[in-house]
């Protein structure tokens, strides 16, 4: 009996297939959105064109497994490591570009444009012209030019963002490949060469996609509580009638949010049972019946979207929350 992260190989590749009309940069940042960076890279190695990460540490973890190109989409300061381990990176200003030149890694640059999110990227035609002069002077051929749309669910905003991207891009004197970000991009008739694929790869953003991750645990203890007693911290759950309860060894330290206390059901032996009391750091409680016994498998989560609705957040946060999950990873 043990806690498990179960990754569906079939769902992962079913999702990937829907986006492979273009080249794909599989985003594995934040521990592959909580799924496990090493596991996902091993599964996808050779089936995608790039891996995308947020920082050098993640890039090095990918490089230990794969020889495919790795792109750091966040700010980079350790250019020496990029050169040593053949890691590509984003630049978006004069400082970053000149640092790449000084460290001898000018051939690994991707240039990002800010088309409206205001996070990273060249934000004006003037700044692009300045960078273009540096690129020309040092004979730098960009690996790609890319951007990230802030809201692909809004056609109007996305079209406005794309036009801004083109306006700034047209200040470049070279014509590098275009890499766009966001699963929703495939719904638009934009001209691009590669897609940075994130949440869609893991099964969210469209009804046609299938969740890859399932969190599974087991009943580690059962007990009876009498009417008038309480279960869990804070004496928040009052036992109204005598009943049987289970303890499941997953808690908020594993990514199972305390804010889910009393709000969801888990599945045991094909039947749904409500969680009760406050979620603890390493366990939670379930109100059960006599059919449930110690050792029975508990499906804690098989759809992060349902958790997200209960929490008033997004599936990204739910999934990445399970990065520190105590348990083994199983591929099905």
């Amino acid at each position: 009996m043990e806690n498990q992260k179960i990754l569906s190989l079939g769902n992962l590749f079913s999702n990937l297939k829907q986006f492979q009309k273009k080249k794909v940069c599989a985003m594995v940042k934040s521990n592959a959105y909580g799924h496990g960076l090493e596991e996902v890279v091993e599964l996808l190695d050779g089936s995608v064109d790039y891996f995308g990460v947020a920082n050098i540490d993640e890039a090095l973890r990918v490089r230990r497994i794969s020889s495919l190109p790795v792109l750091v989409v966040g700010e980079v300061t350790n250019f020496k490591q990029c050169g040593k381990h053949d890691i590509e990176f984003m630049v978006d200003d004069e400082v970053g570009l000149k640092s790449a030149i000084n460290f001898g890694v000018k051939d690994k640059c991707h240039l990002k444009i800010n088309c409206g999110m205001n996070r990273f990227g060249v934000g004006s035609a003037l700044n692009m012209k300045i960078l273009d002069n540096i690129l020309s002077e040092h004979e730098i051929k960009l690996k790609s030019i890319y951007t990230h749309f802030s809201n692909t669910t809004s056609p109007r905003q996305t079209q406005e963002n794309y036009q801004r991207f083109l306006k700034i891009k047209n200040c470049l004197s070279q014509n590098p490949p275009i890499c766009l970000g966001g699963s929703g991009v495939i719904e638009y008739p934009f001209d691009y060469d590669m897609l940075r694929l994130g949440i869609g790869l893991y099964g969210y953003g469209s009804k046609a996609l299938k969740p890859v991750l399932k969190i599974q645990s087991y009943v580690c203890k059962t007990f009876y509580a009498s009417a008038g007693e309480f279960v869990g911290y804070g004496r928040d759950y009052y036992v109204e009638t005598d009943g049987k309860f289970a303890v499941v060894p997953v808690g908020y330290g594993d990514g199972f949010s305390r804010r889910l206390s009393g709000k969801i059901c888990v599945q045991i032996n094909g039947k749904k049972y409500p969680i009760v009391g406050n979620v603890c750091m390493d366990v939670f409680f379930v109100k059960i019946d006599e059919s449930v016994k110690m050792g029975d498998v508990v499906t804690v989560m098989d759809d992060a979207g349902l958790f997200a609705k209960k929490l008033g957040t997004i599936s990204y946060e739910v999934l990445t929350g399970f990065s520190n999950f105590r348990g083994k990873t199983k591929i099905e």
Side-chain angles (χ1 to χ4, degrees), residues 25-44:
C25 174
M27 297 305 298
V28 293
K29 63 180 183 176
S30 294
N31 201 31
Y33 291 50
H35 292 65
L37 182 146
E38 282 78 9
E39 289 83 357
V40 172
V41 170
E42 286 181 359
L43 291 174
L44 294 178

Side-chain angles (χ1 to χ4, degrees), residues 49 57 63 176 197-198 207 223 230 297 300 305 322:
D49 302 280
D57 289 341
R63 182 54 73 230
L197 179 58
K207 291 182 179 179
F223 66 93
F230 295 87
V297 173
V300 177
F322 285 106

Side-chain angles (χ1 to χ4, degrees), residues 8 11-12 16 35 113-114 146 167 199 203-204 207 216 220 247 274 292 311 320 325:
S8 170
N11 287 358
L12 180 68
L16 175 62
H35 292 65
I113 290 176
N114 170 23
Y146 73 97
K167 181 179 179 180
I199 197 69
Y204 298 89
K207 291 182 179 179
Q216 200 169 79
C220 68
V247 180
V292 177
L311 294 169
T320 56
F325 181 75

Side-chain angles (χ1 to χ4, degrees), residues 41-42 44-46 48 50-51 59-70 85:
V41 170
E42 286 181 359
L44 294 178
D45 194 27
V48 296
Y50 262 77
F51 286 110
L60 293 176
R61 289 169 63 187
V62 174
R63 182 54 73 230
R64 294 186 189 105
I65 302 169
S66 174
S67 60
L68 287 176
V70 182
H85 298 282

Side-chain angles (χ1 to χ4, degrees), residues 54-308:
N55 53 56
I56 289 292
D57 289 341
E58 292 177 340
L60 293 176
R61 289 169 63 187
V62 174
R63 182 54 73 230
R64 294 186 189 105
I65 302 169
S66 174
S67 60
L68 287 176
V70 182
L71 168 61
V72 179
V73 298
E75 289 285 350
V76 168
T77 55
N78 195 336
F79 292 96
K80 186 176 181 180
Q81 287 283 65
C82 292
K84 182 178 180 180
H85 298 282
D86 191 21
I87 295 168
E88 300 172 20
F89 51 86
M90 177 272 292
V91 293
D92 64 352
D93 58 25
E94 189 174 348
V95 173
L97 186 54
K98 288 186 174 179
S99 294
I101 294 169
N102 292 337
F103 279 91
V105 288
K106 66 180 185 179
D107 60 329
K108 302 185 186 303
C109 296
H110 296 248
L111 186 62
K112 185 167 189 177
I113 290 176
N114 170 23
C115 72
M117 186 181 291
N118 291 315
R119 182 170 60 178
F120 297 118
V122 183
S124 70
L126 176 61
N127 287 339
M128 181 59 88
K129 289 176 181 177
I130 293 172
L131 293 180
D132 188 57
N133 288 334
I134 299 174
L135 292 169
S136 298
E137 178 185 351
H138 293 273
E139 299 181 335
I140 300 172
K141 185 176 181 181
L142 294 170
K143 287 287 187 178
S144 84
I145 186 166
Y146 73 97
T147 194
H148 192 87
F149 298 107
S150 60
N151 184 15
T152 54
T153 61
S154 170
R156 180 183 62 80
Q157 291 179 17
T158 303
Q159 289 289 353
E160 288 176 355
N161 289 169
Y162 184 61
Q163 293 307 312
R164 177 175 173 178
F165 168 75
L166 292 178
K167 181 179 179 180
I168 298 176
K169 170 189 173 296
N170 289 338
C171 295
L172 264 181
S173 57
Q174 58 180 286
N175 189 31
I178 297 174
C179 178
L180 299 183
S183 305
V185 169
I186 65 170
E187 304 297 328
Y188 295 87
F190 297 159
D191 180 28
Y192 64 99
D193 303 283
M194 183 163 70
L195 175 70
R196 295 192 320 284
L197 179 58
I199 197 69
L201 179 64
Y202 303 103
Y204 298 89
S206 167
K207 291 182 179 179
L209 302 173
K210 304 173 183 177
V212 172
L213 176 66
K214 183 189 330 185
I215 299 296
Q216 200 169 79
S217 187
Y218 61 97
V219 175
C220 68
K221 179 181 179 179
T222 63
F223 66 93
Y224 290 89
S226 301
E229 293 186 317
F230 295 87
V231 174
Y233 281 115
R235 293 166 61 90
D236 285 348
Y237 180 76
Y238 177 77
V239 180
E240 295 184 350
T241 58
D242 297 357
K244 186 178 181 182
F245 298 84
V247 180
V248 179
V250 175
Y252 58 78
D254 300 289
F256 189 79
S257 175
R258 191 173 184 274
R259 291 179 291 145
L260 290 169
S261 300
K263 293 182 179 179
I264 66 163
C265 293
V266 295
Q267 186 169 297
I268 307 173
N269 301 327
K271 184 177 178 180
K272 291 184 177 180
Y273 296 91
I275 71 166
V276 298
N278 284 315
V279 174
C280 305
M281 186 180 293
D282 48 12
V283 302
F284 65 85
F285 307 96
V286 185
K287 180 74 168 66
I288 57 174
D289 56 32
E290 291 298 333
S291 69
V292 177
K293 61 185 184 301
M294 285 182 58
D296 282 349
V297 173
V298 180
T299 298
V300 177
M301 186 201 77
D302 57 10
D303 185 351
L306 298 178
F307 275 33

